[in-house]
Amino acid sequence: MLTYLVRRLPSVVFLLVATSIVAFALPRLTPGDPAIAVAGPDASPEALELIRQEMGLDQPPVAQYFAWVGGVLTGNLGLSFTTNRPVAELIGSRLTSTLELAIVAGILMVVIGIALGVATATTRRPLVRAVLDGANSALLAAPPFLTGLFLILVLGILVPILPISGEVSLLEDPVIGIQYLILPALALALPQAASIGRLVATSMRTTAEEDFVDLAAAKGVSRSRIVSRHILRNSMGPALVTIGLRFGELLAGAIVIEAIFARHGLGSLAVTSVQTRDYLVIQVLILGAVAIAVLMQVLTDIGVASLDPRIRLGASA
C-alpha cells in the first residue's frame, strides 16, 4: 500500500504546482484593478501607484508568484486587499460554515446513494424498480440550485417545517443548527447521490451474474448475506471512485447553494473576493479546493485498494 501511494506522489505534486500557477494567473486575467477597488474610482494616479506598491502589485508577475508560493509553504497567506485582515483569519472565520454543509451533504450523499442503488438493484417488483429508476433520472437531471429551489418551495413555503435561510453553527446549538442545514445539504447531496445510486445499481447487477454468486446460492447462503457480503462488497470499487470525485464537486456546488440559502461560508467569500479583485483570497480558495479534491482522491484510492487485493499486489509487484 505504501509503495502504491509513493508512486502517486509525483502526479499529486505536479497537479498542485499546476493548480498554483492557474490560481495565481486566473484572477489577473480578469478585467479590473484591485488598487481602484480599494481606493475608489476617483483616486489620483499617485495614490493608486502607492497602493499597488503596498500590495506588491508593482513587482514582476514571476516575483509575485514565488513570493506567494513561499508564503503558502510557510503558512503566511498574506493580507486581504480589501479588509486588510490576514487571509488565513478571513478564511478560517467562514470555514466552519462550509465544512458543516459539505460534511452533512457528503454523509447524505453516500447514505442515500448506496441505499438507492441497492434498492434499485435488488427489488423484484417491476413497478418499484420503474419508480426508483424514474426518481434517479429526475435527480440526475436536476442541478443543485434547482433542487434547492424545489426544496424551499415544498418544505419551506408550502409545508413550512424547516428554515429556508440563515444559519446557526452546529457547535453553538446542534439541534437548531441541523434544522438550518437539512435543506441546503439535501440540495447539494441529492443530484450527487443519484449518480452514485445508478452506478451502484449497475455494478451490483453485473456482479450478481458472476459465478461465485451462483456458487454461494447453491451452498444455501441466504439472499441477504449474498447481497451484503458478496454482491455489494464486490460492487463498491467503482462507487468509491465516484464518491471521491463527488466530494470535490460538493465544494464547488456549495458556492451556489450558500447564496440561495443565505449562508456565510466560503462560497459567499469567494463571490465577494472576485467582485473586489481580492487576489490573495481567491488564490488560496482555488488552491485549497483543488488540494481537498486531491486528498479525497488519494483517500478513495486507499479505499479501493483495501477492497481489491489485486491493486495492492500490483503496487507491490
Side-chain angles (χ1 to χ4, degrees), residues 84-106:
N84 207 31
R85 291 174 59 191
V87 174
E89 179 184 316
L90 198 59
I91 292 177
S93 65
R94 306 288 193 96
L95 186 60
T96 303
S97 174
T98 300
L99 276 181
E100 289 178 350
L101 176 60
I103 290 173
V104 174

Side-chain angles (χ1 to χ4, degrees), residues 96-106 170 180-181 183-186 188 250 253-255 257-258 263:
T96 303
S97 174
T98 300
L99 276 181
E100 289 178 350
L101 176 60
I103 290 173
V104 174
L170 290 176
Y180 279 90
L181 266 176
L183 289 185
L186 276 176
L188 261 181
L250 286 180
I255 294 176
I257 292 301
E258 286 179 353
R263 295 181 61 84

Side-chain angles (χ1 to χ4, degrees), residues 112-193:
I112 295 174
I114 293 178
L116 187 61
V118 172
T120 305
T122 57
T123 183
R124 294 178 175 177
R125 298 178 179 179
L127 179 60
V128 175
R129 178 175 296 179
V131 170
L132 291 173
D133 282 334
N136 207 330
S137 299
L139 291 175
L140 272 175
F145 78 90
L146 188 60
T147 307
L149 294 177
F150 177 78
L151 291 172
I152 289 174
L153 179 64
V154 175
L155 299 178
I157 298 177
L158 294 179
V159 185
I161 58 176
L162 291 170
I164 60 175
S165 66
E167 63 179 297
V168 173
S169 174
L170 290 176
L171 299 177
E172 295 177 3
D173 191 332
V175 176
I176 301 298
I178 196 66
Q179 295 178 27
Y180 279 90
L181 266 176
I182 290 177
L183 289 185
L186 276 176
L188 261 181
L190 286 178
Q192 313 292 353

Side-chain angles (χ1 to χ4, degrees), residues 279-296:
Y279 292 168
L280 293 182
V281 177
I282 301 171
Q283 292 167 190
V284 173
L285 289 176
I286 295 175
L287 187 61
V290 174
I292 291 174
V294 170
L295 175 64
M296 293 307 303

Side-chain angles (χ1 to χ4, degrees), residues 182-270:
I182 290 177
L183 289 185
L186 276 176
L188 261 181
L190 286 178
Q192 313 292 353
S195 64
I196 294 173
R198 174 154 293 185
L199 185 62
V200 169
T202 302
S203 184
M204 287 185 68
R205 287 168 183 160
T206 303
T207 305
E209 297 176 355
E210 297 287 342
D211 292 339
F212 67 87
V213 176
D214 294 333
L215 180 62
K219 289 181 176 179
V221 180
S222 66
R223 176 171 170 76
S224 60
R225 187 177 178 83
I226 289 176
V227 170
S228 61
R229 294 295 183 88
H230 296 274
I231 298 179
L232 181 59
R233 179 183 173 85
N234 288 282
S235 304
M236 284 305 294
L240 275 181
V241 176
T242 302
I243 289 171
L245 296 175
R246 298 303 178 192
F247 263 111
E249 294 182 9
L250 286 180
L251 293 175
I255 294 176
V256 178
I257 292 301
E258 286 179 353
I260 292 176
F261 290 92
R263 295 181 61 84
H264 300 290
L266 294 180
S268 59
L269 176 62

